[in-house]
Amino acid sequence: MGEKTVCEEHYGSESLQQRYTRLDDGSIVKQAIGGQRFSSLVQFFRSVFLPQGYPESVSKDYLSYQIWDTLQAFCSSITGTLATQAVLKGVGVGDETATAAGATITWLLKDGTGMLGRILFAWIQGTSLDCDAKRWRLFADIVNDFSIFLELMAPAFPLFFTGIVCVAGVGKAIVGVSGGATRAALTMHQARRDNMADVSAKDGSQETLVNLMALLAGLVVTPMVADNPMLTWFLFFVFTCLHLFANYNAVTCVVMETLNQSRLHILVSHYLRTGVVLNPAQANVQEPVVFAQKKATRIKLGSPMSSIIQRAPDLDRAIHSNSEGRYLLGMPTLTDINIVLHQESSHLDFIKSCFQAEIIDYVIEHRFSKLQVHSSIPCYDNEAHSLISSDKAFQSMVEQANHKALWELVDSSHEVSAQVFPSFHAGLAHAGWTTHRTQLGPDEWRASWDIHGLSDKKSY
């Protein structure tokens, strides 16, 4: 019969392959086609420090982000070593007149204020960390560098030393909350096989290795800067600049496929001008990571009913503007757009309501300049029962905004949204956006409504 190959297998996308051959006597022999799994140093480190199944098991931006993240972690560890030396000197290490009690009290105050800062920051900003993970990640590292700067400055002001290190402690506590929370959001983005634990564990291994390398470098640097403040500040300046540069490149290389307020604003503005939906890579490049997205209005998703109605006619107008939808949109002022969500609203309703709000924002933003709307945007005049040009429809909304006819503006924007959103939503799916979950940051208010009065049966 002769030898026959009965099976071939490979380990992920690695070069390791095996062949099973059936011999004449009925036995099966296994033969390695590629190298053994740990036959090379590269394969060993890949197995130890990268998630199983890499690169298929993670997002495409994983490697570039981790390289920049590794560099920033090394720089942060070096500057942290310089700050630790300064704080120890400030509490009295090496000073015969200093007491252990005084140093202990200073350290306890520093840690205590940091704990309070951690709780307050998580309470105030916790819900927004998921929605703007990239911006808050960069914010955390900027605050970290500022806190290290304060710790380096503290020994020069002995009378205010305790206060300065307490402020630095609050800053580092904020860094812990912001950095840790956004790291979790980025891990969720990177994990593509429900392997968040593996991605997180390997990220921890990478960070541990970097910290070990920084520790060895710190053993060399510390004696050099012990009595040389000029060298200390020079190293701090160099490594801080490198740290911020690496962090900026790390967050800007991340390509999120979920919609947040900033990315949706970019998508809708571009779609209204060109009729084309940007893909995630194109939109993420334009997303601001230092400052918040500049917009003409404040859009609040998940507002209470009292934010849009004060009297019964207001409720009539709100329901009339969106009688078939699971949200109500109102404008108490020209710069505020509040969205009331129905208790059965879904992520699609979040996107649709914010899409209508972005149309209003686009009109208000460009009402004093030339309003550009692509000719492919369909617009229908309900009164004339005929299609009209997109320029005419949007110009009508501009006039309503200029005359502060807010409910008329809401009515017109709903008519345009109802006609344009289906093609926009289809474009999102075609471009590769995730729409079954969002990061639009809705508040928790949900409502049910009926202009004739609520009954036991829910209606809207």
Side-chain angles (χ1 to χ4, degrees):
M1 291 178 60
E3 299 180 355
K4 290 184 178 179
T5 300
V6 294
C7 178
E8 289 185 351
E9 63 182 1
H10 61 87
Y11 187 83
S13 60
E14 297 180 14
S15 59
L16 178 62
Q17 300 179 39
Q18 296 182 145
R19 177 184 296 138
Y20 294 84
T21 304
R22 180 176 181 178
L23 304 181
D24 292 337
D25 59 2
S27 62
I28 295 179
V29 177
K30 180 178 69 174
Q31 179 184 5
I33 302 175
Q36 294 299 316
R37 187 176 181 184
F38 300 114
S39 61
S40 69
L41 190 62
V42 173
Q43 288 178 333
F44 172 75
F45 276 96
R46 179 173 179 172
S47 176
V48 172
F49 294 105
L50 295 177
Q52 183 176 354
Y54 172 85
E56 289 85 2
S57 62
V58 293
S59 59
K60 294 180 180 179
D61 53 25
Y62 176 83
L63 183 60
S64 57
Y65 175 83
Q66 293 302 125
I67 290 174
W68 288 113
D69 189 53
T70 298
L71 178 59
Q72 71 85 19
F74 179 82
C75 296
S76 181
S77 295
I78 295 297
T79 55
T81 299
L82 299 176
T84 300
Q85 184 184 40
V87 172
L88 290 175
K89 182 179 179 181
V91 296
V93 174
D95 186 357
E96 296 180 354
T97 62
T99 63
T104 302
I105 291 174
T106 299
W107 209 269
L108 289 175
L109 289 173
K110 173 179 174 291
D111 289 347
T113 52
M115 293 174 187
L116 291 175
R118 178 186 294 267
I119 294 172
L120 289 174
F121 182 77
W123 170 51
I124 296 172
Q125 293 292 349
T127 55
S128 65
L129 297 177
D130 281 315
C131 303
D132 288 304
K134 294 193 288 185
R135 186 162 61 88
W136 283 111
R137 175 69 180 180
L138 185 60
F139 168 83
D141 289 293
I142 293 174
V143 173
N144 181 65
D145 290 335
F146 179 70
S147 299
I148 291 174
F149 169 77
L150 289 178
E151 290 179 336
L152 286 173
M153 286 286 294
F157 302 93
L159 293 177
F160 306 101
F161 177 82
T162 301
I164 294 174
V165 295
C166 285
V167 173
V170 172
K172 288 196 170 183
I174 292 174
V175 171
V177 175
S178 184
T182 53
R183 176 66 256 184
L186 292 172
T187 300
M188 183 182 295
H189 158 71
Q190 292 173 334
R192 295 306 164 97
R193 291 183 179 175
D194 296 325
N195 57 339
M196 279 188 61
D198 185 28
V199 173
S200 180
K202 295 303 171 60
D203 179 68
S205 297
Q206 296 169 23
E207 187 172 351
T208 301
L209 178 63
V210 172
N211 288 337
L212 180 60
M213 295 172 60
L215 177 65
L216 296 175
L219 292 175
V220 176
V221 170
T222 300
M224 297 170 56
V225 301
D227 297 310
N228 194 337
M230 291 295 295
L231 181 59
T232 299
W233 284 107
F234 174 76
L235 292 176
F236 170 75
F237 177 77
V238 171
F239 281 104
T240 297
C241 290
L242 189 57
H243 177 245
L244 293 175
F245 175 76
N247 267 295
Y248 180 82
N249 283 278
V251 297
T252 52
C253 76
V254 174
V255 179
M256 295 282 200
E257 295 93 357
T258 51
L259 295 171
N260 65 1
Q261 294 283 1
S262 294
R263 291 189 283 274
L264 183 62
H265 176 79
I266 293 168
L267 288 174
V268 175
S269 297
H270 187 271
Y271 180 75
L272 294 177
R273 290 195 307 269
T274 66
V276 176
V277 177
L278 297 173
N279 62 41
Q282 294 169 325
N284 275 262
V285 170
Q286 301 180 39
E287 182 182 7
V289 295
V290 179
F291 302 104
Q293 180 76 54
K294 186 177 180 181
K295 300 169 67 173
T297 61
R298 292 182 295 271
I299 300 173
K300 299 176 183 177
L301 184 63
S303 298
M305 185 68 78
S306 59
S307 66
I308 66 170
I309 65 169
Q310 300 297 327
R311 302 176 299 120
D314 294 335
L315 181 59
D316 292 339
R317 293 300 301 267
I319 295 178
H320 173 74
S321 297
N322 192 16
S323 57
E324 75 281 2
R326 292 182 177 177
Y327 69 90
L328 299 178
L329 189 148
M331 298 180 65
T333 68
L334 192 61
T335 58
D336 289 288
I337 303 176
N338 296 329
I339 301 170
V340 177
L341 295 172
H342 192 269
Q343 59 187 5
E344 296 179 0
S345 58
S346 64
H347 285 285
L348 181 60
D349 298 307
F350 298 170
I351 299 173
K352 189 174 182 179
S353 61
C354 288
F355 179 79
Q356 180 182 346
E358 290 293 346
I359 289 177
I360 297 175
D361 180 87
Y362 186 77
V363 169
I364 294 176
E365 181 181 358
H366 297 90
R367 63 193 180 113
F368 296 123
S369 59
K370 185 178 180 181
L371 189 67
Q372 296 180 353
V373 182
H374 196 261
S375 58
S376 65
I377 303 298
C379 293
Y380 186 80
D381 190 337
N382 286 329
E383 295 182 0
H385 301 289
S386 62
L387 285 171
I388 60 175
S389 68
S390 54
D391 288 336
K392 183 178 179 180
F394 275 79
Q395 192 58 44
S396 175
M397 284 191 283
V398 168
E399 294 176 1
Q400 292 165 350
N402 289 335
H403 290 88
K404 296 185 178 181
L406 300 182
W407 280 117
E408 287 76 6
L409 178 58
V410 171
D411 289 341
S412 299
S413 66
H414 174 69
E415 293 175 6
V416 172
S417 175
Q419 299 161 47
V420 178
F421 183 76
S423 60
F424 176 76
H425 184 248
L428 289 176
H430 184 265
W433 290 95
T434 299
T435 56
H436 65 273
R437 58 185 177 88
T438 63
Q439 294 174 332
L440 294 170
D443 206 347
E444 294 302 311
W445 287 103
R446 299 294 184 273
S448 57
W449 52 82
D450 191 330
I451 192 62
H452 302 295
L454 291 175
S455 62
D456 293 336
K457 182 179 179 181
K458 298 175 183 177
S459 59
Y460 61 91

